[in-house]
Structures are given as structure tokens and as C-alpha cells.
Amino acid sequence: MTLRWRLTLFYTALLTFLLTAVGIITLYVMRVSLIGSIDRDLNSTYEQFVPVAPRLPLDSQVNPLDEAKLATRYSFSNYSLAVEELTFYSQQSLLDELAAANTPQQKDQLFLSIDALRQATRRSLAVDTQRPIELSQAELERLINSPDGRLTLNRSVAVAANVQPTLMRLLVLLVPFQAPELTVGEPAKLQDPATAVGLRLVYVGRNLSTVQHLLDQLKNVMLLLFGVGLVTAGTGAYALAGQALQPLRRVQRAAERIGGQNLTDRVPVPTTGDEVESLARALNAMLGRLEGSFEAQRRFTSDASHELRTPVTAISGHAGYLLRRTNPTGQQAESLRIIQSESARLTNLIASLLQLARSDSGALVLSRQPILAALFLSDITRELAPLAQAQQTTLTAVGEDVTFEGDPDRLKQVMINLVSNALKAGAQTITLRSAQVAGEVRLSVQDNGPGIPADQLERLFDRFYRLEDSRSRDQGGAGLGLSIARGIVDAHGGRIWLESESGQGTTAHVQLPIGNVPVLDEDDVP
């Protein structure tokens, strides 16, 4: 995964976490605030409801002639109200009986008695009497033990007008009541436990659908903003990351274009004042050091080769002179011939080093012209036929006659080097093949020699590297042939590689771009 995508995913994930946290906190605070407002409203409604509680109808139907009860229903039209009386009970007596109920059976008996009283004295407004508000034993016990005699619940209440129960916020109070009832319109008075004749359970409920609808709408809006925010943030993060990394990509592309042939090039230095600018400057400094090192190496190789040519030529000339103009003994003559042979070998080595130096410095000049692949390989086969016959090797050329552009002399040097390597390895059959592959021309040299171990294939292109097995029976090679061949192929914009297995022979491939060449006949090619 690229750095750009990692940055985008990181910032998007961070924003997702923050938006989720903000959304959850906002919904929680809003819910707490709304529920708190409803609870305050329930308390206020309870204060207004106390004076008229005794006059609630015993069922959900109200007599149209009962104006007081109709007025009560109208006054509390947005609420569900209910009253249940526990006659002759007080808060303390309930606590004492609950404390005396030591076994579950005793508790069940106590709550059965309480439920019977509740059912017999139940009055409700906007609550289905067939499906009254029920409290579990645990809730009732908690209400009795509550210091202020209050219990707040979220409970589904069967409203008379609805088939399905409605979720309500329910305030349940356990308060004492006195024998004289208050009249309608009289304000609520604080009950005196000393004069109370019982306890009253008062239920005040308010529909939560409005609150739930508001919270749902808020949640939907937040989800919409969440989605739009994530898409916008992700797109923005991707664009900003791309813009921030653009200088780094320019540095990368420039660095990829720089090779041994163009060490004078430098990567662009962005004026960003950050780590990318420092990296570009460090890369340019490194390229400067590499250029100096390579230049010193090339200059040394070139100068040493030029300086060695004169003494080597003199040595070879004097050895030839002694062989021609004197009468050396047999052993002396053999020594002089060895001197001539080694001088010739050293001359070839110097020439190879000079060519490598020119290739490294980019001074290898190519004379490009159209080449017919099949004709080109046939010429090489004809030229090397005497050498192959001397080793009793069959040398043939086959394949497509592909027209491509290249330097025939340099490429002939490459192919002769590859064929010579096969002959030195003792191959009995060598086949030169041409083919068009993926819009390029491929020239191959296949032999049935002893093969090359897979771990040494790539190392063969290193300078002065030579195999230590039967394939390296060269009596005068210096291990520079394949290095020179690679330099020539690289100058053509192609590539060279070997395929081989021990005991299975070797195939050398040279793949070159075809270039812009016209359709030619054999007579058009020199």
C-alpha cells in the first residue's frame, strides 16, 4: 500500500473515530436533557394532578354528563394518569411488613395483598383498565424503600385509544393520603403522615414518541453529516496527500532515470523547506560523489589502457623481430612465441578495457542502420563456420527474418562472443535463432554444452568473472566478453540474459527494440 493511501486511511479513520465519539456524546447529552425536561414536567403535572386524583373515573370511559371528569380529561389530555390506594397502610407499616417477610413465600403473600388493594382501588385516565400499569415485585419493593417515595421508569402503557402499547416516561409516587378529599381546583397540600389513613400510588406518564422521533431525526441528520463528512474528508485527504507527496514523486522519477550512463543528471530540489528538500539535496550530493568515483575509475582505466598499449606493442614487436632475424634455439623460440601470444592477449584485454571505459562514459558511438535478422545471423554463421568445423561443431541459423535497427558491427561482436563462449564450452550443436517477441526482435544462441549452474548465470556478466568448470576452457579469455556484450546491448536499449541448467545446455538471449525501420528487401541491406 502506498504512503498516499496509508495517510488517507489514517486521517479518514481518525475522523471516523472523532465523528462517532461526537455523535454518541451529542445523542447521549440530548437524550439526558430531553428526559430531564420530561421528568420536570411530570413533577409539575403531578402537583396539578393531586387535587383531582380522587375524581378520576374507574375505567377509560367517561360519562358525557360528568363535566368535572370531562374537564379533568381535557386538562391532562397529553398524559396518562392512574391512582391506586393502599388503605390503612403507612410508609412505616409497609417497611415493617417488608422487613418481617424473611422468606420468598412471605414476600409473595405480602405483594399479593398489596396487588389486591391496588386492583380494587385503581382509577385511571387515558389508560386501558383491562391492561393497567403493572409494577414488578422488585420495582414495588424499590419504591417502598425509596426515601422520597419516587420511581421513574420507561414503560409501555396501554392507552385506551390505541391497540398497541405506547412507550411512556412514567413517574410513580407512593404518598400518604388523608380522609378528607380535596375539592377540584384546591391547590395540592403537603400530606401529614400522622393524619393519613393510607397510601396512594400515583402514576403520571407522558408519551416518549416525540422525544424518540426527535432523537431519530437527530441521529439521521448526524449519519448524513457523518457520511458526507467522511467522503469529503477522505477525498480531501487523498488530494492533499497527493499534493504533499508530489515533490517526492518527482524526486523518485528523476532518481529512477539516473544510471551509470547519465550520472551528471540531478534530481530536482523542491523549495518546500521540509524533509523532501533535504532528501533531494542528499541524493544530489551522493550522485556527485558517485560521479566523481566513476569518473576517476573510467579515467584510470582509459589512461592505463592507453599507457599500456605502447610497451605491449614494443614487447610483441621485439619478440617478432627476434624470431625473424635471429636464430634462437628451440626453447628460446618457444619462449618468444609465448611472449608474442601473451602480448596479443594483453592487447585484446587493453582493447576490451578501452571499450568498457567508453561504454561506461557514454562515449560508445553506434552507427544505426536497418538489419535483417535472418541474414545477419547467416553472415555470422558463415564467418564462424571454419572455427566450428575445427571443433566438429554443427553451427546453424534459423528463425524469422525480422527487420530492426541497430549497429551491425557492434551486434556482430555480441553474437560472435556468445557463439565463441558456446564453442569454448565444448558444445556439439549451436543454433542461432531470430524471432519477433512482444514487438521486439530476439536473437538467441542455443547450445547443448554442459550448462551453467543457476546461481552463476547473472554473475557471468560481472567483469573478470569466470566459471571454474568445464564450460570455461578458454585459454586466453579475461572474463570481459559478456560485460562488453551487455554494454553494447544496453546502448541499443535492449537487454541480454542467459537461460541454462547444468547438463542441459545454455541459451543466450539478446532482445532489442525494432525501432523505426522501413520494409526492406535483402538488396537494400549492406
Side-chain angles (χ1 to χ4, degrees):
M1 185 181 293
T2 62
L3 179 60
R4 184 178 188 180
W5 275 111
R6 289 203 299 270
L7 288 173
T8 302
L9 291 178
F10 171 76
Y11 287 115
T12 304
L14 180 61
L15 182 63
T16 301
F17 173 77
L18 293 177
L19 288 178
T20 302
V22 169
I24 292 174
I25 293 173
T26 301
L27 286 175
Y28 174 77
V29 171
M30 183 63 72
R31 181 179 180 83
V32 169
S33 176
L34 291 174
I35 294 298
S37 176
I38 290 177
D39 288 344
R40 289 190 296 272
D41 179 66
L42 290 176
N43 286 322
S44 175
T45 302
Y46 165 71
E47 297 296 335
Q48 301 173 25
F49 173 66
V50 168
V52 298
R55 291 173 170 77
L56 282 179
L58 291 174
D59 52 28
S60 59
Q61 300 297 324
V62 179
N63 188 344
L65 301 178
D66 195 335
E67 296 181 0
K69 293 182 179 180
L70 284 173
T72 302
R73 166 167 286 189
Y74 178 78
S75 300
F76 300 97
S77 58
N78 296 325
Y79 302 90
S80 293
L81 308 169
V83 175
E84 297 169 351
E85 295 178 356
L86 305 180
T87 311
F88 305 118
Y89 272 108
S90 65
Q91 186 79 21
Q92 188 59 46
S93 64
L94 267 181
L95 288 173
D96 293 341
E97 290 194 24
L98 188 59
N102 297 322
T103 64
Q105 292 79 9
Q106 291 175 338
K107 276 191 176 183
D108 291 341
Q109 187 62 38
L110 173 61
F111 285 119
L112 283 175
S113 302
I114 293 175
D115 289 341
L117 285 174
R118 291 171 54 202
Q119 185 175 1
T121 60
R122 182 175 293 134
R123 294 179 176 84
S124 63
L125 185 66
V127 177
D128 190 349
T129 55
Q130 302 300 319
R131 294 177 293 172
I133 301 173
E134 296 290 349
L135 296 178
S136 65
Q137 287 189 8
E139 292 169 342
L140 193 54
E141 184 175 354
R142 195 169 38 156
L143 178 63
I144 294 171
N145 290 318
S146 174
D148 57 355
R150 290 171 178 262
L151 186 63
T152 306
L153 305 170
N154 289 338
R155 179 64 50 83
S156 293
V157 177
V159 180
N162 297 334
V163 177
Q164 296 295 331
T166 303
L167 181 63
M168 290 191 173
R169 184 69 171 175
L170 197 62
L171 174 64
V172 185
L173 301 102
L174 184 63
V175 294
F177 73 94
Q178 297 169 334
E181 298 291 354
L182 297 173
T183 60
V184 177
E186 186 178 351
K189 295 181 180 179
L190 198 61
Q191 304 291 341
D192 183 7
T195 61
V197 296
L199 294 174
R200 177 179 289 158
L201 271 75
V202 181
Y203 302 86
V204 182
R206 180 175 171 180
N207 196 331
L208 285 177
S209 59
T210 304
V211 173
Q212 191 62 43
H213 179 67
L214 180 61
L215 291 175
D216 289 341
Q217 284 187 323
L218 179 61
K219 182 173 67 175
N220 292 335
V221 170
M222 294 185 68
L223 287 176
L224 178 62
L225 295 177
F226 182 86
V228 172
L230 281 187
V231 173
T232 305
T235 305
Y238 185 80
L240 289 176
Q243 185 177 0
L245 295 174
Q246 186 66 30
L248 190 59
R249 280 196 294 271
R250 288 198 293 268
V251 171
Q252 175 194 354
R253 287 193 293 266
E256 289 173 347
R257 289 193 298 268
I258 298 175
Q261 306 298 326
N262 57 345
L263 279 175
T264 56
D265 293 347
R266 295 293 182 267
V267 300
V269 179
T271 57
T272 54
D274 55 12
E275 291 80 358
V276 179
E277 182 179 352
S278 301
L279 175 63
R281 294 187 184 279
L283 283 174
N284 285 336
M286 180 189 69
L287 289 172
R289 293 192 296 270
L290 287 175
E291 182 187 4
S293 176
F294 273 71
E295 182 61 30
Q297 180 184 353
R298 286 196 296 265
R299 188 165 52 250
F300 170 78
T301 303
S302 179
D303 293 346
S305 300
H306 280 292
E307 293 298 326
L308 287 173
R309 271 188 167 184
T310 301
V312 170
T313 301
I315 291 171
S316 178
H318 283 290
Y321 174 81
L322 290 175
L323 281 172
R324 292 191 308 270
R325 299 300 180 93
T326 63
N327 189 20
T329 64
Q331 187 172 1
Q332 290 173 340
E334 179 67 21
S335 296
L336 290 173
R337 281 191 289 273
I338 291 174
I339 291 174
Q340 275 191 315
S341 175
E342 292 300 318
S343 297
R345 179 172 176 238
L346 189 54
T347 300
N348 291 332
L349 177 59
I350 292 170
S352 298
L353 288 174
L354 280 172
Q355 185 167 352
L356 284 173
R358 286 194 294 269
S359 177
D360 289 343
S361 63
L364 187 63
V365 180
L366 299 178
S367 177
R368 295 179 179 272
Q369 54 184 290
I371 301 173
L372 292 174
L375 183 61
F376 174 69
L377 295 183
S378 297
D379 289 343
I380 295 175
T381 303
R382 195 162 43 249
E383 183 176 336
L384 296 178
L387 184 60
Q389 290 173 1
Q391 294 188 200
Q392 299 181 347
T393 300
T394 303
L395 181 62
T396 57
V398 297
E400 304 176 37
D401 201 3
V402 184
T403 304
F404 67 100
E405 189 180 41
D407 187 329
D409 293 332
R410 298 291 187 184
L411 293 177
K412 181 179 288 188
Q413 182 181 354
V414 173
M415 301 306 294
I416 289 176
N417 180 275
L418 297 177
V419 174
S420 298
N421 287 342
L423 290 173
K424 293 170 187 176
Q428 297 302 307
T429 60
I430 301 175
T431 303
L432 279 66
R433 181 176 286 103
S434 60
Q436 185 169 348
V437 179
E440 296 184 330
V441 61
R442 179 178 294 179
L443 307 177
S444 304
V445 178
Q446 183 177 8
D447 67 61
N448 66 343
I452 305 172
D455 59 341
Q456 299 189 49
L457 287 176
E458 189 61 28
R459 294 191 62 191
L460 285 173
F461 292 96
D462 295 341
R463 297 173 185 181
F464 301 104
Y465 182 79
R466 298 175 62 188
L467 290 174
E468 297 180 356
D469 55 16
S470 59
R471 189 173 175 89
S472 183
R473 301 188 302 174
D474 181 14
Q475 299 298 320
L480 294 175
L482 287 177
S483 298
I484 294 173
R486 171 169 279 182
I488 294 173
V489 173
D490 288 344
H492 280 80
R495 60 192 184 99
I496 181 173
W497 73 97
L498 302 176
E499 295 177 354
S500 181
E501 292 183 14
S502 297
Q504 301 295 323
T506 301
T507 302
H509 297 288
V510 175
Q511 189 157 317
L512 304 167
I514 290 179
N516 298 320
V517 294
V519 179
L520 300 174
D521 297 327
E522 293 185 5
D523 297 337
D524 299 323
V525 183

